[in-house]
PDB file of all heavy atoms in Angstrom:
ATOM      1  N   GLU Q1495     173.406 136.937  47.281  1.00 97.00           N
ATOM      2  CA  GLU Q1495     174.157 137.662  48.310  1.00 97.00           C
ATOM      3  C   GLU Q1495     173.610 139.080  48.405  1.00 97.00           C
ATOM      4  O   GLU Q1495     173.503 139.777  47.406  1.00 97.00           O
ATOM      5  CB  GLU Q1495     175.643 137.685  47.965  1.00 97.00           C
ATOM      6  CG  GLU Q1495     176.478 138.618  48.808  1.00 97.00           C
ATOM      7  CD  GLU Q1495     176.397 138.318  50.296  1.00 97.00           C
ATOM      8  OE1 GLU Q1495     176.606 137.146  50.686  1.00 97.00           O
ATOM      9  OE2 GLU Q1495     176.113 139.256  51.065  1.00 97.00           O
ATOM     10  N   LYS Q1496     173.267 139.512  49.618  1.00 95.00           N
ATOM     11  CA  LYS Q1496     172.655 140.837  49.769  1.00 95.00           C
ATOM     12  C   LYS Q1496     173.661 141.978  49.660  1.00 95.00           C
ATOM     13  O   LYS Q1496     173.297 143.099  49.314  1.00 95.00           O
ATOM     14  CB  LYS Q1496     171.890 140.928  51.088  1.00 95.00           C
ATOM     15  CG  LYS Q1496     172.744 141.051  52.330  1.00 95.00           C
ATOM     16  CD  LYS Q1496     171.846 141.259  53.547  1.00 95.00           C
ATOM     17  CE  LYS Q1496     172.668 141.414  54.815  1.00 95.00           C
ATOM     18  NZ  LYS Q1496     171.806 141.636  55.997  1.00 95.00           N
ATOM     19  N   LEU Q1497     174.934 141.703  49.959  1.00 92.00           N
ATOM     20  CA  LEU Q1497     175.951 142.739  49.838  1.00 92.00           C
ATOM     21  C   LEU Q1497     176.450 142.841  48.399  1.00 92.00           C
ATOM     22  O   LEU Q1497     176.129 142.013  47.564  1.00 92.00           O
ATOM     23  CB  LEU Q1497     177.125 142.447  50.769  1.00 92.00           C
ATOM     24  CG  LEU Q1497     176.814 142.329  52.268  1.00 92.00           C
ATOM     25  CD1 LEU Q1497     178.100 142.120  53.052  1.00 92.00           C
ATOM     26  CD2 LEU Q1497     176.058 143.529  52.783  1.00 92.00           C
ATOM     27  N   GLY Q1498     177.263 143.840  48.149  1.00 89.00           N
ATOM     28  CA  GLY Q1498     177.819 144.008  46.809  1.00 89.00           C
ATOM     29  C   GLY Q1498     178.971 143.085  46.534  1.00 89.00           C
ATOM     30  O   GLY Q1498     179.444 142.975  45.401  1.00 89.00           O
ATOM     31  N   GLN Q1499     179.459 142.384  47.571  1.00 91.00           N
ATOM     32  CA  GLN Q1499     180.603 141.507  47.444  1.00 91.00           C
ATOM     33  C   GLN Q1499     180.333 140.211  48.202  1.00 91.00           C
ATOM     34  O   GLN Q1499     179.749 140.226  49.281  1.00 91.00           O
ATOM     35  CB  GLN Q1499     181.848 142.182  48.032  1.00 91.00           C
ATOM     36  CG  GLN Q1499     183.085 141.323  48.043  1.00 91.00           C
ATOM     37  CD  GLN Q1499     184.144 141.875  48.977  1.00 91.00           C
ATOM     38  OE1 GLN Q1499     183.826 142.591  49.921  1.00 91.00           O
ATOM     39  NE2 GLN Q1499     185.402 141.547  48.742  1.00 91.00           N
ATOM     40  N   VAL Q1500     180.757 139.088  47.648  1.00 95.00           N
ATOM     41  CA  VAL Q1500     180.623 137.814  48.347  1.00 95.00           C
ATOM     42  C   VAL Q1500     181.765 137.661  49.361  1.00 95.00           C
ATOM     43  O   VAL Q1500     182.743 138.389  49.324  1.00 95.00           O
ATOM     44  CB  VAL Q1500     180.643 136.630  47.356  1.00 95.00           C
ATOM     45  CG1 VAL Q1500     179.442 136.685  46.436  1.00 95.00           C
ATOM     46  CG2 VAL Q1500     181.947 136.597  46.554  1.00 95.00           C
ATOM     47  N   GLY Q1501     181.612 136.717  50.256  1.00 95.00           N
ATOM     48  CA  GLY Q1501     182.699 136.413  51.189  1.00 95.00           C
ATOM     49  C   GLY Q1501     182.286 136.314  52.634  1.00 95.00           C
ATOM     50  O   GLY Q1501     182.759 135.456  53.374  1.00 95.00           O
ATOM     51  N   GLY Q1502     181.406 137.219  53.077  1.00 94.00           N
ATOM     52  CA  GLY Q1502     180.946 137.187  54.460  1.00 94.00           C
ATOM     53  C   GLY Q1502     182.089 137.198  55.463  1.00 94.00           C
ATOM     54  O   GLY Q1502     183.158 137.755  55.217  1.00 94.00           O
ATOM     55  N   ASN Q1503     181.879 136.544  56.609  1.00 93.00           N
ATOM     56  CA  ASN Q1503     182.916 136.489  57.633  1.00 93.00           C
ATOM     57  C   ASN Q1503     184.113 135.653  57.200  1.00 93.00           C
ATOM     58  O   ASN Q1503     185.226 135.852  57.689  1.00 93.00           O
ATOM     59  CB  ASN Q1503     182.345 135.917  58.938  1.00 93.00           C
ATOM     60  CG  ASN Q1503     181.609 136.964  59.758  1.00 93.00           C
ATOM     61  OD1 ASN Q1503     181.759 138.162  59.540  1.00 93.00           O
ATOM     62  ND2 ASN Q1503     180.797 136.518  60.694  1.00 93.00           N
ATOM     63  N   THR Q1504     183.891 134.715  56.274  1.00 95.00           N
ATOM     64  CA  THR Q1504     185.004 133.906  55.786  1.00 95.00           C
ATOM     65  C   THR Q1504     186.070 134.788  55.152  1.00 95.00           C
ATOM     66  O   THR Q1504     187.271 134.593  55.353  1.00 95.00           O
ATOM     67  CB  THR Q1504     184.515 132.873  54.759  1.00 95.00           C
ATOM     68  OG1 THR Q1504     183.471 132.078  55.345  1.00 95.00           O
ATOM     69  CG2 THR Q1504     185.650 131.949  54.314  1.00 95.00           C
ATOM     70  N   LEU Q1505     185.631 135.773  54.385  1.00 92.00           N
ATOM     71  CA  LEU Q1505     186.551 136.656  53.667  1.00 92.00           C
ATOM     72  C   LEU Q1505     187.461 137.417  54.614  1.00 92.00           C
ATOM     73  O   LEU Q1505     188.651 137.599  54.333  1.00 92.00           O
ATOM     74  CB  LEU Q1505     185.756 137.650  52.816  1.00 92.00           C
ATOM     75  CG  LEU Q1505     186.567 138.649  51.993  1.00 92.00           C
ATOM     76  CD1 LEU Q1505     187.297 137.937  50.873  1.00 92.00           C
ATOM     77  CD2 LEU Q1505     185.671 139.746  51.437  1.00 92.00           C
ATOM     78  N   ILE Q1506     186.944 137.856  55.740  1.00 89.00           N
ATOM     79  CA  ILE Q1506     187.727 138.687  56.646  1.00 89.00           C
ATOM     80  C   ILE Q1506     188.359 137.884  57.775  1.00 89.00           C
ATOM     81  O   ILE Q1506     188.960 138.453  58.691  1.00 89.00           O
ATOM     82  CB  ILE Q1506     186.865 139.822  57.233  1.00 89.00           C
ATOM     83  CG1 ILE Q1506     185.649 139.259  57.995  1.00 89.00           C
ATOM     84  CG2 ILE Q1506     186.411 140.768  56.146  1.00 89.00           C
ATOM     85  CD1 ILE Q1506     184.784 140.329  58.645  1.00 89.00           C
ATOM     86  N   SER Q1507     188.257 136.575  57.720  1.00 90.00           N
ATOM     87  CA  SER Q1507     188.852 135.714  58.742  1.00 90.00           C
ATOM     88  C   SER Q1507     190.279 135.342  58.359  1.00 90.00           C
ATOM     89  O   SER Q1507     190.749 135.632  57.257  1.00 90.00           O
ATOM     90  CB  SER Q1507     188.028 134.426  58.885  1.00 90.00           C
ATOM     91  OG  SER Q1507     188.261 133.566  57.772  1.00 90.00           O
ATOM     92  N   GLY Q1508     190.953 134.649  59.268  1.00 89.00           N
ATOM     93  CA  GLY Q1508     192.280 134.123  58.957  1.00 89.00           C
ATOM     94  C   GLY Q1508     192.209 132.876  58.100  1.00 89.00           C
ATOM     95  O   GLY Q1508     193.200 132.477  57.484  1.00 89.00           O
ATOM     96  N   GLY Q1509     191.029 132.250  58.058  1.00 94.00           N
ATOM     97  CA  GLY Q1509     190.813 131.088  57.203  1.00 94.00           C
ATOM     98  C   GLY Q1509     191.383 129.782  57.725  1.00 94.00           C
ATOM     99  O   GLY Q1509     191.350 128.758  57.034  1.00 94.00           O
ATOM    100  N   GLU Q1510     191.920 129.755  58.961  1.00 94.00           N
ATOM    101  CA  GLU Q1510     192.494 128.517  59.488  1.00 94.00           C
ATOM    102  C   GLU Q1510     191.403 127.459  59.689  1.00 94.00           C
ATOM    103  O   GLU Q1510     190.275 127.782  60.025  1.00 94.00           O
ATOM    104  CB  GLU Q1510     193.228 128.771  60.808  1.00 94.00           C
ATOM    105  CG  GLU Q1510     194.453 129.645  60.669  1.00 94.00           C
ATOM    106  CD  GLU Q1510     194.155 131.135  60.780  1.00 94.00           C
ATOM    107  OE1 GLU Q1510     192.967 131.483  60.985  1.00 94.00           O
ATOM    108  OE2 GLU Q1510     195.097 131.948  60.659  1.00 94.00           O
ATOM    109  N   TYR Q1511     191.781 126.198  59.503  1.00 97.00           N
ATOM    110  CA  TYR Q1511     190.798 125.112  59.415  1.00 97.00           C
ATOM    111  C   TYR Q1511     191.246 123.941  60.294  1.00 97.00           C
ATOM    112  O   TYR Q1511     192.287 123.334  60.060  1.00 97.00           O
ATOM    113  CB  TYR Q1511     190.698 124.683  57.949  1.00 97.00           C
ATOM    114  CG  TYR Q1511     189.646 123.657  57.617  1.00 97.00           C
ATOM    115  CD1 TYR Q1511     188.592 123.975  56.770  1.00 97.00           C
ATOM    116  CD2 TYR Q1511     189.714 122.360  58.108  1.00 97.00           C
ATOM    117  CE1 TYR Q1511     187.623 123.033  56.430  1.00 97.00           C
ATOM    118  CE2 TYR Q1511     188.757 121.410  57.782  1.00 97.00           C
ATOM    119  CZ  TYR Q1511     187.711 121.756  56.946  1.00 97.00           C
ATOM    120  OH  TYR Q1511     186.768 120.820  56.619  1.00 97.00           O
ATOM    121  N   ALA Q1512     190.440 123.616  61.306  1.00 97.00           N
ATOM    122  CA  ALA Q1512     190.750 122.503  62.206  1.00 97.00           C
ATOM    123  C   ALA Q1512     190.468 121.166  61.531  1.00 97.00           C
ATOM    124  O   ALA Q1512     189.341 120.900  61.122  1.00 97.00           O
ATOM    125  CB  ALA Q1512     189.925 122.627  63.484  1.00 97.00           C
ATOM    126  N   ALA Q1513     191.509 120.319  61.411  1.00 98.00           N
ATOM    127  CA  ALA Q1513     191.379 119.029  60.717  1.00 98.00           C
ATOM    128  C   ALA Q1513     192.112 117.957  61.515  1.00 98.00           C
ATOM    129  O   ALA Q1513     193.347 117.901  61.505  1.00 98.00           O
ATOM    130  CB  ALA Q1513     191.953 119.135  59.308  1.00 98.00           C
ATOM    131  N   PRO Q1514     191.390 117.089  62.205  1.00 98.00           N
ATOM    132  CA  PRO Q1514     192.048 116.071  63.032  1.00 98.00           C
ATOM    133  C   PRO Q1514     192.676 114.952  62.204  1.00 98.00           C
ATOM    134  O   PRO Q1514     192.193 114.617  61.123  1.00 98.00           O
ATOM    135  CB  PRO Q1514     190.892 115.536  63.880  1.00 98.00           C
ATOM    136  CG  PRO Q1514     189.686 115.716  63.013  1.00 98.00           C
ATOM    137  CD  PRO Q1514     189.915 117.008  62.278  1.00 98.00           C
ATOM    138  N   ALA Q1515     193.776 114.407  62.737  1.00 97.00           N
ATOM    139  CA  ALA Q1515     194.463 113.272  62.117  1.00 97.00           C
ATOM    140  C   ALA Q1515     194.803 113.552  60.653  1.00 97.00           C
ATOM    141  O   ALA Q1515     194.500 112.764  59.762  1.00 97.00           O
ATOM    142  CB  ALA Q1515     193.609 112.008  62.231  1.00 97.00           C
ATOM    143  N   ASN Q1516     195.446 114.700  60.407  1.00 98.00           N
ATOM    144  CA  ASN Q1516     195.796 115.057  59.033  1.00 98.00           C
ATOM    145  C   ASN Q1516     197.250 114.697  58.718  1.00 98.00           C
ATOM    146  O   ASN Q1516     198.030 114.351  59.603  1.00 98.00           O
ATOM    147  CB  ASN Q1516     195.519 116.541  58.764  1.00 98.00           C
ATOM    148  CG  ASN Q1516     196.384 117.474  59.597  1.00 98.00           C
ATOM    149  OD1 ASN Q1516     197.601 117.488  59.469  1.00 98.00           O
ATOM    150  ND2 ASN Q1516     195.750 118.251  60.481  1.00 98.00           N
ATOM    151  N   GLU Q1517     197.611 114.808  57.449  1.00 97.00           N
ATOM    152  CA  GLU Q1517     198.927 114.365  56.991  1.00 97.00           C
ATOM    153  C   GLU Q1517     200.074 115.222  57.525  1.00 97.00           C
ATOM    154  O   GLU Q1517     201.200 114.725  57.713  1.00 97.00           O
ATOM    155  CB  GLU Q1517     198.970 114.321  55.457  1.00 97.00           C
ATOM    156  CG  GLU Q1517     198.949 115.669  54.749  1.00 97.00           C
ATOM    157  CD  GLU Q1517     197.588 116.336  54.716  1.00 97.00           C
ATOM    158  OE1 GLU Q1517     196.596 115.693  55.155  1.00 97.00           O
ATOM    159  OE2 GLU Q1517     197.507 117.483  54.244  1.00 97.00           O
ATOM    160  N   LEU Q1518     199.824 116.498  57.812  1.00 97.00           N
ATOM    161  CA  LEU Q1518     200.875 117.345  58.360  1.00 97.00           C
ATOM    162  C   LEU Q1518     201.172 116.972  59.811  1.00 97.00           C
ATOM    163  O   LEU Q1518     202.327 117.060  60.259  1.00 97.00           O
ATOM    164  CB  LEU Q1518     200.475 118.822  58.260  1.00 97.00           C
ATOM    165  CG  LEU Q1518     200.323 119.391  56.843  1.00 97.00           C
ATOM    166  CD1 LEU Q1518     199.959 120.872  56.892  1.00 97.00           C
ATOM    167  CD2 LEU Q1518     201.593 119.189  56.030  1.00 97.00           C
ATOM    168  N   GLN Q1519     200.150 116.571  60.531  1.00 97.00           N
ATOM    169  CA  GLN Q1519     200.367 116.079  61.894  1.00 97.00           C
ATOM    170  C   GLN Q1519     201.233 114.821  61.869  1.00 97.00           C
ATOM    171  O   GLN Q1519     202.131 114.649  62.694  1.00 97.00           O
ATOM    172  CB  GLN Q1519     199.026 115.767  62.570  1.00 97.00           C
ATOM    173  CG  GLN Q1519     198.209 116.972  62.960  1.00 97.00           C
ATOM    174  CD  GLN Q1519     196.888 116.571  63.590  1.00 97.00           C
ATOM    175  OE1 GLN Q1519     196.182 115.716  63.053  1.00 97.00           O
ATOM    176  NE2 GLN Q1519     196.552 117.173  64.710  1.00 97.00           N
ATOM    177  N   GLU Q1520     200.948 113.965  60.911  1.00 97.00           N
ATOM    178  CA  GLU Q1520     201.708 112.717  60.786  1.00 97.00           C
ATOM    179  C   GLU Q1520     203.188 113.008  60.552  1.00 97.00           C
ATOM    180  O   GLU Q1520     204.070 112.372  61.139  1.00 97.00           O
ATOM    181  CB  GLU Q1520     201.145 111.878  59.631  1.00 97.00           C
ATOM    182  CG  GLU Q1520     201.748 110.492  59.528  1.00 97.00           C
ATOM    183  CD  GLU Q1520     201.106 109.654  58.440  1.00 97.00           C
ATOM    184  OE1 GLU Q1520     200.027 110.043  57.938  1.00 97.00           O
ATOM    185  OE2 GLU Q1520     201.690 108.617  58.086  1.00 97.00           O
ATOM    186  N   LYS Q1521     203.480 114.016  59.707  1.00 97.00           N
ATOM    187  CA  LYS Q1521     204.870 114.396  59.434  1.00 97.00           C
ATOM    188  C   LYS Q1521     205.572 114.892  60.693  1.00 97.00           C
ATOM    189  O   LYS Q1521     206.766 114.668  60.895  1.00 97.00           O
ATOM    190  CB  LYS Q1521     204.917 115.491  58.367  1.00 97.00           C
ATOM    191  CG  LYS Q1521     204.621 115.016  56.954  1.00 97.00           C
ATOM    192  CD  LYS Q1521     204.742 116.189  55.980  1.00 97.00           C
ATOM    193  CE  LYS Q1521     204.432 115.752  54.556  1.00 97.00           C
ATOM    194  NZ  LYS Q1521     204.540 116.889  53.600  1.00 97.00           N
ATOM    195  N   GLU Q1522     204.819 115.600  61.546  1.00 96.00           N
ATOM    196  CA  GLU Q1522     205.394 116.167  62.763  1.00 96.00           C
ATOM    197  C   GLU Q1522     205.342 115.203  63.944  1.00 96.00           C
ATOM    198  O   GLU Q1522     205.821 115.526  65.036  1.00 96.00           O
ATOM    199  CB  GLU Q1522     204.674 117.461  63.143  1.00 96.00           C
ATOM    200  CG  GLU Q1522     204.899 118.614  62.179  1.00 96.00           C
ATOM    201  CD  GLU Q1522     204.349 119.931  62.729  1.00 96.00           C
ATOM    202  OE1 GLU Q1522     204.482 120.156  63.953  1.00 96.00           O
ATOM    203  OE2 GLU Q1522     203.796 120.713  61.946  1.00 96.00           O
ATOM    204  N   GLY Q1523     204.739 114.044  63.728  1.00 97.00           N
ATOM    205  CA  GLY Q1523     204.642 113.076  64.806  1.00 97.00           C
ATOM    206  C   GLY Q1523     203.612 113.428  65.857  1.00 97.00           C
ATOM    207  O   GLY Q1523     203.719 113.015  67.020  1.00 97.00           O
ATOM    208  N   ILE Q1524     202.598 114.197  65.463  1.00 96.00           N
ATOM    209  CA  ILE Q1524     201.532 114.599  66.383  1.00 96.00           C
ATOM    210  C   ILE Q1524     200.422 113.558  66.364  1.00 96.00           C
ATOM    211  O   ILE Q1524     199.859 113.249  65.316  1.00 96.00           O
ATOM    212  CB  ILE Q1524     200.955 115.971  65.992  1.00 96.00           C
ATOM    213  CG1 ILE Q1524     202.036 117.048  66.047  1.00 96.00           C
ATOM    214  CG2 ILE Q1524     199.783 116.343  66.897  1.00 96.00           C
ATOM    215  CD1 ILE Q1524     201.594 118.379  65.472  1.00 96.00           C
ATOM    216  N   GLU Q1525     200.113 113.002  67.513  1.00 97.00           N
ATOM    217  CA  GLU Q1525     199.044 112.018  67.603  1.00 97.00           C
ATOM    218  C   GLU Q1525     197.706 112.722  67.793  1.00 97.00           C
ATOM    219  O   GLU Q1525     197.548 113.532  68.701  1.00 97.00           O
ATOM    220  CB  GLU Q1525     199.301 111.053  68.759  1.00 97.00           C
ATOM    221  CG  GLU Q1525     200.513 110.160  68.549  1.00 97.00           C
ATOM    222  CD  GLU Q1525     200.641 109.106  69.636  1.00 97.00           C
ATOM    223  OE1 GLU Q1525     199.662 108.921  70.404  1.00 97.00           O
ATOM    224  OE2 GLU Q1525     201.700 108.481  69.712  1.00 97.00           O
ATOM    225  N   ASP Q1526     196.761 112.406  66.937  1.00 97.00           N
ATOM    226  CA  ASP Q1526     195.446 113.038  66.996  1.00 97.00           C
ATOM    227  C   ASP Q1526     194.411 112.050  66.475  1.00 97.00           C
ATOM    228  O   ASP Q1526     194.750 111.032  65.850  1.00 97.00           O
ATOM    229  CB  ASP Q1526     195.441 114.318  66.152  1.00 97.00           C
ATOM    230  CG  ASP Q1526     194.242 115.210  66.450  1.00 97.00           C
ATOM    231  OD1 ASP Q1526     193.537 114.967  67.436  1.00 97.00           O
ATOM    232  OD2 ASP Q1526     194.021 116.162  65.681  1.00 97.00           O
ATOM    233  N   SER Q1527     193.159 112.351  66.717  1.00 98.00           N
ATOM    234  CA  SER Q1527     192.078 111.486  66.233  1.00 98.00           C
ATOM    235  C   SER Q1527     190.790 112.281  66.125  1.00 98.00           C
ATOM    236  O   SER Q1527     190.660 113.364  66.707  1.00 98.00           O
ATOM    237  CB  SER Q1527     191.856 110.311  67.191  1.00 98.00           C
ATOM    238  OG  SER Q1527     191.363 110.782  68.444  1.00 98.00           O
ATOM    239  N   LYS Q1528     189.841 111.738  65.372  1.00 98.00           N
ATOM    240  CA  LYS Q1528     188.528 112.365  65.266  1.00 98.00           C
ATOM    241  C   LYS Q1528     187.856 112.430  66.644  1.00 98.00           C
ATOM    242  O   LYS Q1528     187.159 113.399  66.975  1.00 98.00           O
ATOM    243  CB  LYS Q1528     187.658 111.585  64.290  1.00 98.00           C
ATOM    244  CG  LYS Q1528     188.169 111.588  62.856  1.00 98.00           C
ATOM    245  CD  LYS Q1528     187.301 110.725  61.959  1.00 98.00           C
ATOM    246  CE  LYS Q1528     187.830 110.726  60.520  1.00 98.00           C
ATOM    247  NZ  LYS Q1528     187.007 109.857  59.629  1.00 98.00           N
ATOM    248  N   GLU Q1529     188.088 111.379  67.429  1.00 98.00           N
ATOM    249  CA  GLU Q1529     187.470 111.310  68.747  1.00 98.00           C
ATOM    250  C   GLU Q1529     188.010 112.404  69.682  1.00 98.00           C
ATOM    251  O   GLU Q1529     187.255 113.013  70.451  1.00 98.00           O
ATOM    252  CB  GLU Q1529     187.720 109.932  69.372  1.00 98.00           C
ATOM    253  CG  GLU Q1529     187.001 108.780  68.691  1.00 98.00           C
ATOM    254  CD  GLU Q1529     187.618 108.388  67.345  1.00 98.00           C
ATOM    255  OE1 GLU Q1529     188.820 108.702  67.120  1.00 98.00           O
ATOM    256  OE2 GLU Q1529     186.907 107.770  66.523  1.00 98.00           O
ATOM    257  N   LEU Q1530     189.316 112.659  69.595  1.00 97.00           N
ATOM    258  CA  LEU Q1530     189.907 113.692  70.429  1.00 97.00           C
ATOM    259  C   LEU Q1530     189.403 115.075  70.009  1.00 97.00           C
ATOM    260  O   LEU Q1530     189.122 115.928  70.847  1.00 97.00           O
ATOM    261  CB  LEU Q1530     191.435 113.641  70.332  1.00 97.00           C
ATOM    262  CG  LEU Q1530     192.201 114.647  71.210  1.00 97.00           C
ATOM    263  CD1 LEU Q1530     191.854 114.462  72.687  1.00 97.00           C
ATOM    264  CD2 LEU Q1530     193.706 114.510  70.990  1.00 97.00           C
ATOM    265  N   PHE Q1531     189.285 115.276  68.699  1.00 97.00           N
ATOM    266  CA  PHE Q1531     188.755 116.534  68.184  1.00 97.00           C
ATOM    267  C   PHE Q1531     187.334 116.746  68.688  1.00 97.00           C
ATOM    268  O   PHE Q1531     186.970 117.835  69.169  1.00 97.00           O
ATOM    269  CB  PHE Q1531     188.798 116.521  66.657  1.00 97.00           C
ATOM    270  CG  PHE Q1531     188.171 117.720  66.003  1.00 97.00           C
ATOM    271  CD1 PHE Q1531     188.586 119.007  66.300  1.00 97.00           C
ATOM    272  CD2 PHE Q1531     187.154 117.577  65.061  1.00 97.00           C
ATOM    273  CE1 PHE Q1531     188.016 120.123  65.683  1.00 97.00           C
ATOM    274  CE2 PHE Q1531     186.574 118.674  64.442  1.00 97.00           C
ATOM    275  CZ  PHE Q1531     187.005 119.946  64.759  1.00 97.00           C
ATOM    276  N   ALA Q1532     186.505 115.705  68.580  1.00 97.00           N
ATOM    277  CA  ALA Q1532     185.120 115.802  69.041  1.00 97.00           C
ATOM    278  C   ALA Q1532     185.066 116.130  70.536  1.00 97.00           C
ATOM    279  O   ALA Q1532     184.258 116.961  70.980  1.00 97.00           O
ATOM    280  CB  ALA Q1532     184.379 114.500  68.762  1.00 97.00           C
ATOM    281  N   LYS Q1533     185.958 115.513  71.304  1.00 97.00           N
ATOM    282  CA  LYS Q1533     185.985 115.765  72.747  1.00 97.00           C
ATOM    283  C   LYS Q1533     186.326 117.221  73.037  1.00 97.00           C
ATOM    284  O   LYS Q1533     185.720 117.850  73.915  1.00 97.00           O
ATOM    285  CB  LYS Q1533     187.012 114.840  73.403  1.00 97.00           C
ATOM    286  CG  LYS Q1533     187.101 114.999  74.909  1.00 97.00           C
ATOM    287  CD  LYS Q1533     188.154 114.064  75.498  1.00 97.00           C
ATOM    288  CE  LYS Q1533     188.282 114.272  77.009  1.00 97.00           C
ATOM    289  NZ  LYS Q1533     189.337 113.406  77.591  1.00 97.00           N
ATOM    290  N   ASP Q1534     187.285 117.765  72.296  1.00 95.00           N
ATOM    291  CA  ASP Q1534     187.673 119.170  72.492  1.00 95.00           C
ATOM    292  C   ASP Q1534     186.498 120.110  72.225  1.00 95.00           C
ATOM    293  O   ASP Q1534     186.253 121.050  72.984  1.00 95.00           O
ATOM    294  CB  ASP Q1534     188.833 119.533  71.561  1.00 95.00           C
ATOM    295  CG  ASP Q1534     190.143 118.884  71.974  1.00 95.00           C
ATOM    296  OD1 ASP Q1534     190.240 118.417  73.132  1.00 95.00           O
ATOM    297  OD2 ASP Q1534     191.063 118.839  71.144  1.00 95.00           O
ATOM    298  N   VAL Q1535     185.784 119.869  71.128  1.00 95.00           N
ATOM    299  CA  VAL Q1535     184.661 120.740  70.761  1.00 95.00           C
ATOM    300  C   VAL Q1535     183.507 120.578  71.749  1.00 95.00           C
ATOM    301  O   VAL Q1535     182.830 121.547  72.097  1.00 95.00           O
ATOM    302  CB  VAL Q1535     184.189 120.447  69.326  1.00 95.00           C
ATOM    303  CG1 VAL Q1535     182.988 121.314  68.958  1.00 95.00           C
ATOM    304  CG2 VAL Q1535     185.324 120.694  68.330  1.00 95.00           C
ATOM    305  N   GLU Q1536     183.302 119.354  72.223  1.00 95.00           N
ATOM    306  CA  GLU Q1536     182.193 119.067  73.136  1.00 95.00           C
ATOM    307  C   GLU Q1536     182.351 119.761  74.489  1.00 95.00           C
ATOM    308  O   GLU Q1536     181.368 119.936  75.213  1.00 95.00           O
ATOM    309  CB  GLU Q1536     182.064 117.559  73.358  1.00 95.00           C
ATOM    310  CG  GLU Q1536     181.420 116.814  72.191  1.00 95.00           C
ATOM    311  CD  GLU Q1536     181.401 115.302  72.430  1.00 95.00           C
ATOM    312  OE1 GLU Q1536     181.440 114.889  73.609  1.00 95.00           O
ATOM    313  OE2 GLU Q1536     181.370 114.547  71.447  1.00 95.00           O
TER     314      GLU Q1536
END
């Protein structure tokens, strides 16, 4: 690492992570899929 501290942009971000068809969605009754996630990003 060229800086004196590790972390980069990850360190100063909110750290939120997009994960399709996850267990928390299932608890909330949210329908999602890998295909829908891919479509959104595309």
Side-chain angles (χ1 to χ4, degrees):
E1495 169 58 51
K1496 74 175 181 179
L1497 302 183
Q1499 176 197 25
V1500 296
N1503 278 344
T1504 305
L1505 180 69
I1506 59 178
S1507 74
E1510 294 88 1
Y1511 185 116
N1516 64 63
E1517 70 284 354
L1518 295 181
Q1519 288 179 312
E1520 187 176 346
K1521 286 182 181 180
E1522 292 189 38
I1524 299 171
E1525 293 187 13
D1526 195 11
S1527 66
K1528 296 177 180 179
E1529 291 74 22
L1530 182 58
F1531 175 56
K1533 181 181 178 182
D1534 289 343
V1535 178
E1536 284 176 24

